[in-house]
C-alpha cells in the first residue's frame, strides 16, 4: 500500500503539468473495445522508479495502459482510458485520472420540453405562447473520475473507482459511481445490473432513449466470466420505489428487501457482438391505511438485448423489456410514480401496471473521425383494473427518435450535431410532439 500512496502524491504533483500534453490526449469517454487501447504518444504515463538504463520504459507504460483498459466497460455513458496514468515500476499499482468538459447548445421548437434533457414524458400536452421556442446552453454533464488498480496476493487486482458530474441541484457536484471491485465482486454504487450498456446509441442527449433501462444503484454484485463466450452476473441492489398513492389511503413504507437483477450473455466476434437475457425481481412494500396492514407487491421484468457487428465499421443494437412494477428502471418513467398506482376497485390498495419498452438502432463509423448514430425507441404503459378511467390524463405511450453525427477533430476533441423528435400520448388519446436540435463540443482529458 506504500506504493499506492506514493502514486497519489505523485498524481497531485503532476496535475500542474497536465496541460502540456492536452493536444495529444486520447479519448476518455470512448465506447471502444478496451483491448484496442495501446500506448502511443497520445497517452501520458508516469512510471515511478523506472531506470531508463535498465528498464524497457515503453513496455512498462504500455502494460500500465493495458491493465487499466481491461477494467473498462464500453457502452452508454461509460468513461474509457484516461490520458493520465501513473504506475509503479512493477505495474502492481496503477492510478488514473480523467474526465471531460462537455458544452451543449439546444434549440426546441413547436412544443418546448422544460428539461435539459429530451424526456418524452415531459412533453407539454397543451401548446402555449411560452413553450413555442427555447434556446438553452448546458455544461453540467462535464465529468471527473479517478481509478486505482492495486495488485494483491490474496485478492488479485483490487479496483476502486469514483466518478462525478455536475448534475446535482443547481449544477453542484454529484456522485455518479463509487465502488470497489475484486474477484468478480462489486460493492458500491454503479450502473444497475439490469442494463445492457452496449445496447443503446451514443447520444448528445444526456437522458438517452426513453425505453432504455439505465440507472445507478447501490449494490453488491457478482460477475463471472464462465468462458470466452459466456458470462453471468447477479446482484442485490438498493430498492427505490416511485408510487402514485391515493391520498392518505395508502403510503410507501421503507423497503425491506433488495432488488435482484440477473443476466446471462453470449459473446462472439472477439466481443464485438453479443446477446443478453436479463431478469429482475422486486418486492415493494406499502401501508394500506384503510385496512391497517402492510402489503407487499411483487414486481418483475424480463429483457432481451444485444449488439451485432455487421462489419468492422457498422453494427446494429437494441433491446425489448417487459414487466410489472419495474417502471423506475425505464428512463422515461423513472421517478414518475408508476411502480405502484392506486387500485380503483379496492380502497387503500395499490397495484402494479404492465409496461413495455423497446429500442432499435444502428451505428456507422465512416472513418476514425466520423461516426453516425440513429435509433427509435418506444414505451407503453397498459391499463389494469380500469385505472385509466380515473386518471384519463395519465401517460400511456411515448416515442423517441434520434439521429446524430460526430466528428473527432483529434482523439480527445469532438464535436457533434443531433436531431430529436418525440411524442407523448395519454390514456384519453390526447397527443403532443416535440422537436429539438442540439450541438456539442467536448474535450476529454
Amino acid at each position: 500500500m506504500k506504493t499506492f500512496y506514493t502514486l497519489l502524491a505523485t498524481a497531485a504533483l503532476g496535475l500542474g503539468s497536465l496541460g502540456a500534453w492536452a493536444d495529444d490526449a486520447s479519448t476518455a469517454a470512448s465506447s471502444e473495445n478496451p483491448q484496442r487501447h495501446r500506448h502511443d504518444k497520445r497517452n501520458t504515463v508516469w512510471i515511478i522508479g523506472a531506470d531508463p538504463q535498465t528498464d524497457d520504459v515503453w513496455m512498462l507504460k504500455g502494460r500500465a495502459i493495458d491493465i487499466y483498459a481491461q477494467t473498462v466497460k464500453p457502452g452508454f455513458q461509460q468513461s474509457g482510458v484516461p490520458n493520465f496514468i501513473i504506475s509503479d515500476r512493477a505495474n502492481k499499482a496503477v492510478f488514473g485520472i480523467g474526465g471531460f468538459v462537455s458544452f451543449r447548445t439546444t434549440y426546441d421548437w413547436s412544443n418546448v420540453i422544460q428539461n435539459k434533457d429530451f424526456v418524452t414524458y415531459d412533453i407539454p400536452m397543451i401548446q402555449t405562447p411560452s413553450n413555442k421556442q427555447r434556446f438553452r446552453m448546458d455544461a453540467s454533464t462535464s465529468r471527473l473520475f479517478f481509478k486505482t488498480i492495486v495488485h494483491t496476493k490474496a485478492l488479485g487486482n483490487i479496483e476502486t473507482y469514483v466518478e462525478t458530474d455536475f448534475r446535482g441541484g443547481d449544477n453542484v457536484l454529484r456522485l455518479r459511481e463509487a465502488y470497489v471491485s475484486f474477484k468478480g465482486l462489486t460493492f458500491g454504487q454503479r450502473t444497475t445490473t439490469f442494463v445492457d450498456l452496449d445496447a443503446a446509441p451514443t447520444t448528445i442527449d444526456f437522458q438517452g432513449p426513453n425505453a432504455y433501462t439505465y440507472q445507478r444503484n447501490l449494490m453488491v454484485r457478482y460477475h463471472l466470466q464462465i468462458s470466452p463466450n459466456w458470462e453471468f452476473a447477479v446482484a442485490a441492489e438498493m430498492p427505490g420505489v416511485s408510487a402514485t398513492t391515493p391520498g392518505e389511503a395508502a403510503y410507501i413504507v421503507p423497503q425491506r428487501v433488495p432488488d435482484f437483477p440477473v443476466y446471462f450473455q453470449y459473446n462472439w466476434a472477439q466481443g464485438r457482438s453479443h446477446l443478453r437475457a436479463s431478469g429482475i425481481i422486486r418486492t415493494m412494500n406499502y401501508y394500506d391505511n384503510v385496512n391497517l396492514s402492510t402489503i407487499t407487491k411483487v414486481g418483475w421484468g424480463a429483457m432481451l438485448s444485444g449488439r451485432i457487428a455487421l462489419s468492422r465499421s457498422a453494427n446494429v443494437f437494441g433491446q425489448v423489456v417487459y414487466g410489472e412494477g419495474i417502471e423506475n428502471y425505464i428512463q422515461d418513467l423513472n421517478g414518475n410514480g408508476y411502480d405502484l398506482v392506486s387500485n380503483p376497485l379496492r380502497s387503500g390498495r395499490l397495484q402494479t401496471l404492465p409496461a413495455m419498452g423497446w429500442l432499435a438502432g444502428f451505428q456507422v463509423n465512416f472513418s476514425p473521425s466520423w461516426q453516425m448514430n440513429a435509433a427509435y425507441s418506444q414505451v407503453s404503459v397498459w391499463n389494469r383494473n380500469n385505472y385509466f378511467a380515473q386518471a384519463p390524463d395519465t401517460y400511456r405511450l411515448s416515442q423517441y427518435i434520434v439521429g446524430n453525427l460526430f466528428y473527432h477533430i483529434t482523439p480527445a476533441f469532438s464535436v457533434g450535431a443531433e436531431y430529436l423528435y418525440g411524442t407523448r400520448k395519454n390514456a384519453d388519446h390526447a397527443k403532443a410532439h416535440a422537436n429539438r436540435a442540439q450541438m456539442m463540443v467536448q474535450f476529454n482529458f
Side-chain angles (χ1 to χ4, degrees):
M1 294 304 292
K2 181 177 179 181
T3 303
F4 171 67
Y5 291 120
T6 304
L7 294 183
L8 294 180
T10 305
L13 293 173
L15 289 178
S17 60
L18 297 185
W21 290 274
D23 289 340
D24 291 324
S26 64
T27 301
S30 171
S31 62
E32 296 178 356
N33 186 328
Q35 295 301 323
R36 299 178 193 171
H37 292 281
R38 291 294 182 266
H39 177 57
D40 57 35
K41 66 180 181 179
R42 296 174 299 175
N43 294 100
T44 300
V45 182
W46 289 275
I47 303 295
I48 298 174
D51 184 350
Q53 303 298 322
T54 59
D55 293 328
D56 187 340
V57 178
W58 191 262
M59 181 193 70
L60 293 177
K61 290 182 177 182
R63 186 183 297 162
I65 293 174
D66 283 345
I67 290 171
Y68 193 107
Q70 289 169 7
T71 69
V72 171
K73 295 293 185 183
F76 188 75
Q77 292 193 10
Q78 298 305 292
S79 298
V81 177
N83 302 313
F84 308 104
I85 296 175
I86 303 170
S87 175
D88 69 316
R89 183 181 179 185
N91 293 137
K92 290 186 176 181
V94 176
F95 173 73
I97 177 173
F100 57 80
V101 175
S102 183
F103 174 75
R104 302 183 303 161
T105 61
T106 65
Y107 180 74
D108 291 53
W109 70 94
S110 296
N111 205 10
V112 174
I113 295 177
Q114 301 298 330
N115 195 311
K116 293 179 181 179
D117 306 322
F118 196 76
V119 182
T120 51
Y121 182 92
D122 293 337
I123 294 176
M125 300 307 295
I126 300 176
Q127 291 191 8
T128 66
S130 64
N131 66 13
K132 285 185 176 180
Q133 302 175 62
R134 179 164 182 171
F135 177 76
R136 182 186 279 114
M137 294 183 179
D138 179 36
S140 64
T141 61
S142 300
R143 193 178 303 175
L144 183 65
F145 63 86
F146 307 87
K147 179 180 286 189
T148 63
I149 306 160
V150 179
H151 183 75
T152 65
K153 291 183 179 179
L155 298 174
N157 285 348
I158 300 177
E159 174 190 343
T160 60
Y161 185 72
V162 176
E163 180 181 86
T164 65
D165 63 16
F166 297 86
R167 276 302 183 94
D170 297 324
N171 293 339
V172 300
L173 203 64
R174 174 187 69 164
L175 180 68
R176 287 174 55 86
E177 297 191 10
Y179 63 84
V180 56
S181 181
F182 57 88
K183 293 288 188 181
L185 291 166
T186 296
F187 301 87
Q189 181 166 300
R190 201 168 184 179
T191 53
T192 176
T193 309
F194 194 59
V195 63
D196 187 339
L197 292 171
D198 237 0
T202 301
T203 60
I204 297 174
D205 176 38
F206 188 68
Q207 176 85 353
N210 61 348
Y212 195 46
T213 55
Y214 183 82
Q215 186 168 214
R216 290 178 295 277
N217 285 340
L218 289 163
M219 69 178 67
V220 177
R221 176 194 292 170
Y222 178 66
H223 174 265
L224 176 64
Q225 192 70 44
I226 302 172
S227 71
N229 298 106
W230 287 97
E231 61 183 276
F232 160 82
V234 63
E237 301 188 1
M238 184 73 176
V241 177
S242 179
T244 301
T245 56
E248 297 181 356
Y251 56 87
I252 300 300
V253 299
Q255 300 305 296
R256 303 170 179 178
V257 179
D259 295 347
F260 293 102
V262 61
Y263 74 76
F264 287 90
Q265 179 168 311
Y266 178 73
N267 307 290
W268 73 96
Q270 292 77 51
R272 293 184 297 114
S273 298
H274 77 273
L275 288 175
R276 176 183 293 191
S278 306
I280 188 169
I281 292 290
R282 315 182 66 200
T283 57
M284 297 170 286
N285 301 291
Y286 70 94
Y287 189 75
D288 177 349
N289 210 24
V290 174
N291 299 292
L292 304 180
S293 60
T294 299
I295 307 295
T296 298
K297 296 293 291 185
V298 176
W300 63 271
M303 183 169 68
L304 182 65
S305 59
R307 178 177 289 256
I308 298 175
L310 302 178
S311 67
R312 288 286 179 180
S313 59
N315 54 72
V316 295
F317 53 83
Q319 71 170 46
V320 179
V321 59
Y322 176 84
E324 300 178 5
I326 61 164
E327 283 83 347
N328 216 33
Y329 280 85
I330 297 174
Q331 287 281 61
D332 214 30
L333 300 176
N334 179 273
N336 288 312
Y338 281 83
D339 282 339
L340 293 172
V341 300
S342 63
N343 183 344
L345 305 183
R346 302 186 66 183
S347 179
R349 292 298 175 94
L350 303 181
Q351 63 176 343
T352 59
L353 292 179
M356 180 176 181
W358 66 274
L359 72 90
F362 65 90
Q363 181 185 86
V364 179
N365 297 297
F366 299 108
S367 72
S369 298
W370 290 94
Q371 182 190 96
M372 181 187 73
N373 295 266
Y376 173 86
S377 179
Q378 178 178 296
V379 174
S380 57
V381 179
W382 297 344
N383 196 12
R384 173 171 282 168
N385 292 326
N386 210 25
Y387 174 73
F388 287 167
Q390 73 167 16
D393 60 348
T394 295
Y395 169 107
R396 169 68 180 83
L397 182 145
S398 68
Q399 300 175 90
Y400 176 105
I401 300 172
V402 61
N404 58 45
L405 185 66
F406 293 96
Y407 176 56
H408 304 291
I409 301 171
T410 72
F413 188 37
S414 301
V415 296
E418 182 170 88
Y419 171 70
L420 295 147
Y421 175 80
T423 66
R424 168 175 167 156
K425 184 177 181 180
N426 287 347
D428 60 2
H429 302 292
K431 188 174 181 180
H433 70 275
N435 296 273
R436 175 173 292 184
Q438 53 189 6
M439 298 183 66
M440 178 201 75
V441 175
Q442 181 167 308
F443 182 81
N444 303 281
F445 59 85

